[in-house]
Each structure stands twice: as C-alpha cells, then as structure tokens.
Amino acid sequence: MTLKIPLRLALLFALAFSGYAQHSVLLDAMSQELDRNFNVLKKNADTPAYFMSYEVTEVEYRSLNATLGTVEPLNEGRRRALDVSVRVGTPQLDNYHRVRGQGGANQGRFTSGSALTFEDSVDSIKRRLWLDTDSAYRAASERLIRIKTNSQVRVAEADDSADFSSEPPSVFEQKPIELKFDANAWRERVRKLSARFENYPSVLTSHVAVASQTDTRYFVNTEGSRIRHGRGFARVVITASAKASDGTDLSTFETFEAVEASGLPSEETLNAAVDRVANDLTHLLKAPDAEPFVGPAIFSGRAAGVFFHEIFGHRVEGHRQKDESEGQTFTKSVGTKVLPDFLSVVFDPTRRKIGNVDLNGWYDYDDEGVKARPVTAVENGILKTFLMSRSPIKGFDHSNGHGRREPGLEVVSRQSNLIVQSAKAVPEATLRQMLIDEAKRQNKPYGLYFEDITGGFTTTQRAGLQAFKVIPVIVYRVYTDGRPDELVRGADIVGTPLASFAKILATGDKPEVFNGYCGAESGSVPVSAVSPSILVSEIEIEKKAKSNDRPPLLSEPTVMEGKSGDKGGMR
Amino acid sequence: MSNRGAGTRACRAETHLGACGRQQHRSASARVPAPRLLAGLFLTLAAFGQDAPPSNEPLFRAMRDELARSRQLSIPNLESPYYIEYGIDEQETFSAAASLGGLLSQKRERFRTPFIFVRVGDYKFDNSNFGGGRGSAYDLEAFPIENSYPVLRRYLWLETDSAYKGAVEAISRKRAANRNVNQNDRIDDFAHAEPLHFIRDFKPLVVDESSWANRIRSLSGIFTKFPEIQESSVDLEVTEGGHYLENSEGTEVKTPESVTMVRARASAQAPDGSTVRDFAFFHALDPKAMVDEADMTREVTTMAQNLVAMAHAPKGEDYNGPVLFEGQASAQLFAQILGENLTLVRRPEGGRGAGAPPGDLDGRVGARVLPESFDVVDDPSLKEYKGKTLFGGYEIDREGVPAKRLQIVEKGIFKNFLLTRQPVKGYEGSNGRARYPAGGGTSAAGISNLIVTSSETVPAGEMKKKLLDLLQSRNKPYGIIIRKLDFPSTASLEEARRVASAQQGAAHPVSVPLLIYKVYADGHEELVRGVQFHGLTARSLRDILMAGDDAAELDFMDSPAPFDLIGLSNFTMEASVVAPSVLIDELELRPTDDEQPKLPLVPAPEISH
C-alpha cells in the first residue's frame, strides 16, 4: 500500500513532465530566428532595434450550423498567424509612440498577422519570420523618423511617460490543448435542436450553431521570454428572428460557453433554451412598443455586466489615458470616488469560473508575454488603477497583464473578466420592491426591468459624443399598481457615463455572467462581464430605429400547402 | 464590429462570435463560389425542349413550386413580377496551400450560393440595370445544402419576398430618374429566350486528400533550393459542383462543373529593390487528367530558375519596333487584347456611375481588326484542339441559353460580340455567353475556347530569323521576343494599379511581360526585366506581320477582373485560348515605374537540409 502511491505519483510526474517539456519545433525556430535577426538589427547604425518579439497564434476549430432540422457541412480548419513586433529607438521614445493628428491618435501598425505553416517545417517557418521581421523593421524605422519630427513641432504632451515598460521575462511551456469535438454527435444534436423551431410558426428565421476551438499561443522576445500556453473555447448559439406587422425586426438569442464542448449544457437545457428563444420572440411580436421613458430601472446581472463593460471598462483601458484625442473620463481620477462606495470592480483573467459557469475572458499570459493577474480597478468606489499593457502612462510604469490583441493587430490594453462586487446586495425580491418604491416616489406608473441584452457600444473619443448605448432584447414594465409585468419591445438605453454611475442605488445578491467578444482597436478578444443586478434611480430609453418593410407578402409556403391540400407544382 | 481604431467599441454576443462561432462559418459560406463548367458530356437532342419530364429533385421541386406561387406576389397599386429567376451555384471543394514544404491551410467545403432575381415591369422596361438593389431583408445565412423540401421552400420564399420588394422599389426610382432623360433611343431591358430543359447530374468530389497535400507540399519545397526567392507558395483546388437554374419562362437547367488547379507563384527582389515575379499554373477538368507530378516538378523548377535569372537581369529600356510573341505569350496576348474586348457593357441607367469606358472593338463590327489571313472563333462545344483537351467548354450558359460556336473574326473582319440576355445597343438576344453574375439580375459575358488561326503561316522555328531579318532591314541593334506575360496576373493590387494607370485611357490595359528577351543581330538573347507595353490595344492586332504554324494553348480561370488578377474576383470560369506565335510591328515598351524597397538587412535564413 505504502509503495503504490509514490509509484503512481512518480509515474504521473513523469507523464506530466514529458508533456510539459515536449520539444516545440516552432518555439525553437522562433527563438533561433529572433536571435539571428535581432543580432543584425540591433547593430544597424541608423535606427537600431532594441526589442523584438514573435507571437504565433495557432487556432484549430470545428463548427456546425443548423436550421430547421438541416445541418450544413462541418466547418473545420487549422491555422497559424504570425505577429512580429520590432521596436527601434529607445523605450522612452520608440516607433510605437502615439502620434497626435487629425482623426485621433495612432500607435502605428507593424504586424500583419501573416499565415504561417501549421506544420513543423522549420524552413517554411523561419523564412516567414525573416520576411515579416524585415517588413516590420522597415515600417518601424520609417515611423520613428516621422515621430521625431512630430514631437519637435507639436506642443509638449501632457503625459510624457515612456513608450515601453520593462518587465521580467516569462518562461512557461504548457502542453498544447487538444481539440475535442464529437462532430457526429453534435450534428445530430443541433439537427434536433434546430428542428424544434418548426413548432413556432411566427419565427421567420432561426439558427443553432455549435463551435469548438483551441487557441495555442507561442511567444518569444529578446528579453528571454519563451511561452507556450493555450485554452479552449466552445459555444452554442441559438438565434431567432421575426418581423412584426409594422415592419419592426425582432430577434432573440441565447448562448452557452464552456472551455470544452463536453462542458456545454445537456440536451434538456438546450431544448429549453430553444423554446425560450422562440417563446420570447413570439411574445415580443405581440408586445407593445416601448415609449421613450426616463425613470428607475433594474438591470439584470447580465445586462448590468454589459453596462459596466461599456461605460466603465473601456474608460479604464490604460492607453486611452495618454491619448489626447480620448475623452479621458478617469485619467485624473485615481484615488477619487468614481462609483458608489458599495461597488468594487475587479478585472481578473486568472478566474476561470463563477459558480459553475466558465468565463470567457481568462488567459495565463497576455499577448506581450506578461503573466495574467487580478487587477482591482475600483475598491469601494475609489479608482485604484488602470488596465495596463506594456505602454506606460503617467503614474503607472508597468503592465498588469492586460495587453491583448487579435492576430494581425497591435496590442493595446483590453478588458478580461470584469467582475462587479457589491457591499449593498439585497435579495432580488427586495430589489424589485425598491424599484416599485422608487417609481412611486418619482410618480411614474412603472419602472423598467432589463432582463437580457444583446450588447452595446460606447464612444470614448473626444471628437465623438461621449455616450454609450446598450441594446436590450427583453424589457418589462414593472407597474407600481400591482398589475403583472408587461413585456415591451424596441427600446435602446442611452446615457452618458459619469451621470449614470451616480444613479446606482443598490444591487442584487446573485452574480450573473455575460460571455462575449469585445471589439476595439486591437480586434476581437474574448471577455466576460460578471455583475449582480443593479437598481438605478434614472435611466433613459429611446425608440429603436426600425425597418419599414412589410412582413412577407405570402404566407409560409409549406404550412399553406398542407392546409390547402395542394401538393405544389402549380404552373 | 470591425470599426477598428475609430473609438467605437462594441460587445455583442449576437454578432461577436469571433473565431469561435458562426462568424467563421459565414466567411466561408459568404464567399461567392467559382463555378466551373464542364464540357465533355454528350448533348442529346431529347434533353432540349419542353417535353422532358420536370426534375424530381427536391431543390427543383422547391424552386418550381415557390416560383409558381411567387407569381402572385403583389403590393396594392404596384405591379406583379413578370419574370422570376432562381440560379444556384453549388460547389464542393478541397483546397490546400503550402509554402516551402509546410502546409498553410487545408480545407474541405461544400456550399450553395443563390442568385435570386425578380423582374417587374416588362421586357421593354423593368427594374434591372439600375443601382445595386439591396441585400436580403432576412437573417438567412447560408443557402441550405441538405435537400429538405420545406426548408428550401422557406429560404426561397423569404428571398423572393425580399427580391420582389427590392424590385418594386427599384422600378419606381428608375422611372423617376428616367423622367429627366431623353428616351428616344432606349433599348429593351431584357431579351426573350426560349425555354430550355436540360439536366445533367453533378459529379461527387472524390479526392485523395493526403496525396494531393503531399504533392503541393513537395512542390512548394522546390523553392527552398533557391535562397534568392523570397515569397513563394503553391495552392491547390479541386472542385466539383455546378449550376442550377429555374425561371418563370419554364427553363430548368442543371449543368455540372468540375475543375482542378495547382498554382505555384514566387517572387524575388532584383538588386535595385524591384520585385520580380513568376508563376506556373496547371489546370484540368478532371483531377485524374492533371499533369503528373514529375512534369509539374520540372515546370516549377524551371519557373524558379527563370525567376532567379530575372532577378539578375538588367532592367529593360525604351523600345519601339517589332516584337515577337512566342507560343504561350501569344495566347496570353490574345486572351487580353481580343478576349476582353469582346463584351459590350451597358451603362447603368439614371446617371448612376459612368460605366466602363468603351472597349477597343465597340462599333467595329464589319471592320478589319486582324490581317486578312486570320480567323477567330469562340467555340464552347469544342472538346479538343489538335489533340489537346480544351478547358473552356460548356453547353448551357448561366441564363439557360445554349452556347454554340461563334465566328468572332472572319478573314480579318470583326463579326460578333459575346452576348447575354441583357440587350446592348445594336444587339438584342443572347448568344449563350452569360458566364458571370454581374449584379442587378444581369450576367456578364466571357470567352470559352477562343481559337485564333491564320491561313498564312511560317514555320514557328523560323520566326526568330524573320525578326532578325526585319531588324537588319530597319537597321536596329536589337529586337524583342516575349515568351510569357503576367496573365492571369499574380501582381499585388498596388502593382496592378500602377501598371494600369501607366496605360491611361486603355479600356483594357495589358499585363506586364515576364520573360522578355533582347535579341541581337547575331541571334544571341539577353533576358531583361521591368518593362511594360505602351499603347498596346486591339488595334495593334492589325499590325501583325506574320503568324507561326504553331498553336499554343493557354488554359486559365477567366474573370472580369483587370489582368484576371488572382484573388481579385471571387467568380472565375474556365477558358482556353489557342493562338499561333505572332510578330507584331512597331510596339512600344517602356521601363516600369517600380517601387524599390531596400533589400533585407538580415540575410535569408539558411535552409536546414
């Protein structure tokens, strides 16, 4: 007995070790070519390179899309994209320096996300690295010369912090994640799921999609970092759309995310989700239009998550603080109160789950090879710090592991898992009563309850309107006179950020997760927003733009055919 | 969501599936396929005409039934459709790409692309040829690939509804716009065509994926032996599929299409920094008929050697004088300056857009365009020529019109344009040449097998001698022989723009020559690079001094894109051009205006084996 355990442990250790130390042809080729190129480029007299990195993103995916019991062929593939970073000049002033100009600042673009062979063909890999290094270096030298001119003619910048922070090198090699997806089983599952929409004649179009993907990132830099890490993504997306008699396009959806396809919900849960998507849509078709309204509202946890992601999260992204074309809502607010004192906001890429829900915004290392860590942005209402990449800003000299990108674009600071924590949490029923009380106090016949939301957007630049818009799908009027809640449609929430925070009165006690993909300068990155529901004393909704097209002129063809007994073939 | 850097950020679960969800799927299926038509099937007379029984395939049943029902479409006070057309391209493809011995991608796809068009008004005046119309009003995603009758009906129902609403809107805008325009010489909007019933099954895609992947991997590995070559790639596409067509005139067509192609391309930098490029393309209708691996290896190796030689060659100078186009280069020349000028483009109505500039042959029917000894035919029914399989054949065009042999030039006199069902000034009625979708319910014409012959020839082997004689009589130090043009072009978009703008005014600029030789009085040749034609148009064909007794065949994927630039047009069709070598008098060549980026500071990595 006593011997068995150590033996098994030793065996496990050996297995784990061999996996861990698995020789990576790609990483070796990357670090050899990095050294070879850097040794020449750092000695070039005109514009010596002082830093280089290579990042290769390897993606393997499989997905299936079904409509009304029919399934499209399996979509699958594997690819690698290469991102090269070359810095010339000095960390204080290099080719990534933000240049002020018309139409906002830009930091230049040097990488192209070229396709790299997905096989371990050293010649093919090295040649691509060499050619892309050459073009990145060329672009870097040219831009540094332009920047030097620009910084001489313009007035001094308010934030004169350096362009690149120093960070300790990271060395980490994880075994690449294996893509697991049982295509045959899923084909039948999505076929059956999508066929359920046949029971809902008012649904015009519907789709059920499932996708499974692995990302493996390979990173080397001239400071000695050498990283291989990865993660999986799996997702089920159920969507439906319909057209109301006045032309309004309506759509509902439901998504489920997990790290692996095997972690996606059971058939029962998915069946229920299809029914909910279809029923919500059917109810929306009959629901009255929302009227423009100013008054109290509850955001469900998912809706509140998106609300915070848009109006708060994007405004604490570090690089915006030194970009003078940005609104810089919070640039000078560190140490001061920006949210009600019962709220804290943490960005935690190391958190993989909330309850039993997998989060979408986690990673081990960011795209600059900096180790992921939790960042408390707001503690008890007080702004503590920003989300940082390796681009320093005044008062914040280092990265906190939030430099992210989609392959082919340059890194900027981005959100990860946004988690709203509340010290003034009340049970949902209490929150609802507080909504009714607040509506009465304001002499409103009802308050609003935003149950679900498709997403939102915000403008952070000075040249634009400093505002946000959040697009709810399911909205209820909660009447003060005890009438049942009433579903309404066609409302957009609009507002300005600072005014909105001050109106948060309390929160619910159950965190909900919104998993999604966030798009910004550095492309689309996976994120999560986690929040309890929140009660706000005042929110404004406006009418949504709508289509003036009539619904289909002819009735659904196969239903009609069945009813009339006509088998088609009319001529 | 791709509003990058504009300061607008968005998070939508619905549309933000990123690489993880439908987005990828969409990008695959949103691609317009590149259908290819297959010749080589026997055409039986019984297949024509209205007597054949309607096809029982679910897709045809769905199209037929929904089309019949859609005739009732109406909106109070607005007209009903007079013509409805469902065209569906189906494609199953295995594709792969490799560079320097490593695969970049490997993919198998199958999808259908619908082209649904509703015409309101009548043949004389309808909603076509006016603005771009509008997209689908419904979130339908890809056209169903499984043959479920009710799902196909639903898709067609919603898309027809959307097309009809677009049509009634377009015709009222078109009427309003036309009120201010003189209508005296107005031509009809749509030509009549005979109903046709023609059904041929598609072939299943049978492909040995790993052996093809191995082949392109090893072909791409050839370039590792040439360290001066910077960019190189080899790609493969094996496609089976075809075109379905159902229209309200009673036409029902299913035509199979298959093609296999392997394309190797590479580039290098000359010492002055300019880029030199070359390619070797291989096409076949049937994968089994493809050039074998040994021959491909030889051709790709020769191409790589030529490319290295081009990188070391001196830049050419201004030249005025006779130019000999040998073999393949002559076919490439005819494909461009004759092939691209055989279509007439109708200007969009209502002052929207200037349309294309007139082609070199517009208004020249009955005029002499080639020496008297020349004949040119476009013959989609021809399977082979002088023992070699032709690539551009087809039986029925995209609009359901049978395609027959068409005399293009007879004894040097221009006879016929390639026509579709869209009437153009002076011509009404299709001759079965609709090969590409062209928006707004119209199709664009293109060549099939374009055969150029001359009744007076000299042995091809003596053409160089004839050129030397000519130089001597003109007292010129050297002449020019061109053995390859960049066609279909592998240039970057920027380079193509530079080349086109240097030939300002030409309706169809000519691509740059790749293999250009100066030939001196003693017969020795010198490779040069970096020159392009100036003023080479269809009119230059009249200056042909002599033709060889050879017949070079160029098989290629034709497209409406300038220079048939690879990757610019999503929709390409098989074509062949057969032509003899030709000697043309008084052509002008000028040095190209190249970008000259510095050579890389770091030497190329060493090849590991």
Side-chain angles (χ1 to χ4, degrees), chain A residues 138-355:
Chain A
R138 241 180 250 277
S141 318
E142 258 177 53
R143 191 163 190 275
L144 183 65
I145 293 162
R146 283 207 312 276
I147 288 161
K148 285 184 168 162
T149 318
N150 180 289
S151 53
Q152 278 158 14
V153 293
R154 301 265 177 142
V155 294
E157 291 155 306
D159 185 341
D160 58 358
S161 46
D163 286 327
F164 198 47
S165 70
S166 72
E167 305 294 341
S170 307
V171 177
F172 179 75
E173 274 189 62
Q174 190 188 52
K175 194 175 167 182
I177 314 283
E178 195 188 329
L179 180 64
K180 291 182 200 131
F181 184 72
D182 184 343
N184 291 330
W186 274 106
R187 187 176 290 113
E188 293 322 304
R189 285 181 85 181
V190 293
R191 187 188 297 285
K192 275 200 228 151
L193 282 168
S194 67
R196 287 180 87 83
F197 281 107
E198 286 167 10
N199 305 325
Y200 298 91
S202 49
V203 174
L204 274 190
T205 69
S206 58
H207 307 285
V208 177
V210 61
S212 183
Q213 175 180 331
T214 56
D215 276 15
T216 308
R217 296 197 178 209
Y218 300 80
F219 181 89
V220 293
N221 71 17
T222 48
E223 296 163 338
S225 285
R226 181 183 160 105
I227 304 168
R228 175 172 67 185
H229 65 115
R231 58 166 290 194
F233 302 83
R235 191 166 218 213
V236 170
V237 179
I238 301 163
T239 57
S241 78
K243 209 168 183 50
S245 53
D246 67 349
T248 304
D249 288 308
L250 296 165
S251 62
T252 51
F253 75 97
E254 182 104 53
T255 69
F256 298 93
E257 291 79 15
V259 167
E260 284 188 343
S262 60
L264 290 168
S266 67
E267 193 170 329
E268 204 181 358
T269 310
L270 293 174
N271 280 341
V274 168
D275 294 344
R276 192 160 56 247
V277 165
N279 281 322
D280 281 350
L281 190 61
T282 311
H283 294 146
L284 276 176
L285 278 168
K286 295 179 205 134
D289 272 349
E291 293 304 319
F293 171 84
V294 180
I298 290 175
F299 287 84
S300 71
R302 285 166 54 80
V306 173
F307 178 80
F308 274 97
H309 172 93
E310 297 299 345
I311 68 175
F312 177 76
H314 280 300
R315 289 179 169 74
V316 293
E317 290 165 339
H319 62 284
R320 305 197 194 292
Q321 317 310 323
K322 67 171 170 185
D323 180 341
E324 291 174 23
S325 65
E326 287 283 341
Q328 301 185 328
T329 315
F330 298 128
T331 304
K332 290 178 179 153
S333 307
V334 175
T336 67
K337 192 179 145 180
V338 295
L339 289 177
D341 55 14
F342 56 89
L343 289 179
S344 298
V345 180
V346 180
F347 291 90
D348 190 355
T350 67
R351 188 84 184 253
R352 299 194 179 185
K353 272 176 188 289
I354 293 279

Side-chain angles (χ1 to χ4, degrees), chain A residues 41 44 47-49 86 88 132-142, chain B residues 601:
Chain A
L41 298 178
N44 184 38
T47 42
V86 179
V88 298
D132 281 28
T133 305
D134 180 61
S135 67
Y137 173 74
R138 241 180 250 277
S141 318
E142 258 177 53
Chain B
L601 271 176

Side-chain angles (χ1 to χ4, degrees), chain A residues 33 36-37 40-41 44 59 61 63-65 67-79 115-119 121-124 126-128 130-131 134 137-138 191 201 203-205 207 209 211-213 233-235 237 239 241 243 249 251 253 255 306 309-310 314 317 320 326 406 409 454-461 471 514-521 523-524 527 549-558 560-561 567-571, chain B residues 1 3-26 28-29 54 61 64-66 68-76 98-111 134 137-151 153-154 157-158 161 164-165 169 217 223-224 226-232 246-247 249-250 252 269 597-609:
Chain A
E33 200 54 22
R36 197 181 72 86
N37 279 273
V40 177
L41 298 178
N44 184 38
V59 174
Y61 61 91
S63 67
L64 287 164
N65 202 357
T67 301
L68 292 169
T70 64
V71 190
E72 285 170 45
L74 178 70
N75 182 34
E76 61 180 331
R78 192 176 164 195
R79 57 168 184 261
L116 184 75
T117 177
F118 57 74
E119 299 183 311
S121 163
V122 174
D123 290 339
S124 193
K126 286 191 171 176
R127 204 148 181 106
R128 177 49 48 209
W130 167 61
L131 287 168
D134 180 61
Y137 173 74
R138 241 180 250 277
R191 187 188 297 285
V203 174
L204 274 190
T205 69
H207 307 285
S212 183
Q213 175 180 331
F233 302 83
R235 191 166 218 213
V237 179
T239 57
S241 78
K243 209 168 183 50
D249 288 308
S251 62
F253 75 97
T255 69
V306 173
H309 172 93
E310 297 299 345
H314 280 300
E317 290 165 339
R320 305 197 194 292
E326 287 283 341
E406 182 183 326
L409 296 167
T454 58
F457 54 90
T458 186
T459 311
T460 60
Q461 295 210 313
I471 304 149
F514 186 99
N515 279 324
Y517 289 80
C518 170
E521 301 95 309
S524 174
V527 296
D549 267 2
R550 294 157 185 255
L553 300 165
L554 301 175
S555 59
E556 202 283 321
T558 47
M560 183 204 76
E561 193 171 285
K567 290 289 175 232
M570 298 177 283
R571 279 217 165 235
Chain B
M1 300 309 102
N3 201 356
R4 283 171 184 149
T8 300
R9 280 152 279 279
C11 281
R12 285 173 193 243
E14 189 183 52
T15 51
H16 255 234
L17 294 166
C20 198
R22 284 195 331 219
Q23 210 171 56
Q24 242 162 21
H25 204 103
R26 272 183 175 161
S29 51
R61 281 200 293 125
R64 207 155 47 223
D65 295 350
E66 194 54 31
R69 193 172 75 118
S70 299
R71 290 166 178 274
Q72 317 157 12
L73 277 167
S74 68
I75 294 176
S99 182
L100 296 159
L103 287 179
L104 296 170
S105 64
Q106 184 177 336
K107 207 168 170 51
R108 198 172 172 127
E109 291 169 285
R110 185 166 172 235
F111 52 89
R134 57 179 199 175
Y138 303 100
D139 172 31
L140 281 166
E141 301 217 337
F143 193 89
I145 194 83
E146 289 186 9
N147 289 313
S148 157
Y149 174 83
V151 177
R153 281 285 303 264
R154 272 189 84 96
W157 162 54
L158 292 173
D161 183 81
Y164 172 65
K165 287 167 183 163
E169 237 173 63
R217 191 191 284 116
F223 296 102
T224 56
F226 299 87
E228 286 170 282
I229 293 177
Q230 290 183 352
E231 298 279 357
S232 65
E246 179 84 29
N247 74 24
E249 294 165 335
E252 195 164 285
Q269 255 184 307
K598 283 184 190 163
L599 295 174
L601 271 176
V602 182
E606 276 179 30
I607 295 302
S608 60
H609 48 77

Side-chain angles (χ1 to χ4, degrees), chain B residues 563-599:
Chain B
F563 312 137
D564 279 18
L565 199 66
I566 303 291
L568 191 61
S569 172
N570 283 329
F571 208 97
T572 59
M573 287 296 236
E574 307 79 5
S576 281
V577 175
V578 177
S581 298
V582 290
L583 177 59
I584 307 184
D585 204 0
E586 289 307 319
L587 286 186
E588 188 179 346
L589 285 158
R590 289 182 184 176
T592 48
D593 182 16
D594 294 326
E595 298 244 305
Q596 296 180 327
K598 283 184 190 163
L599 295 174

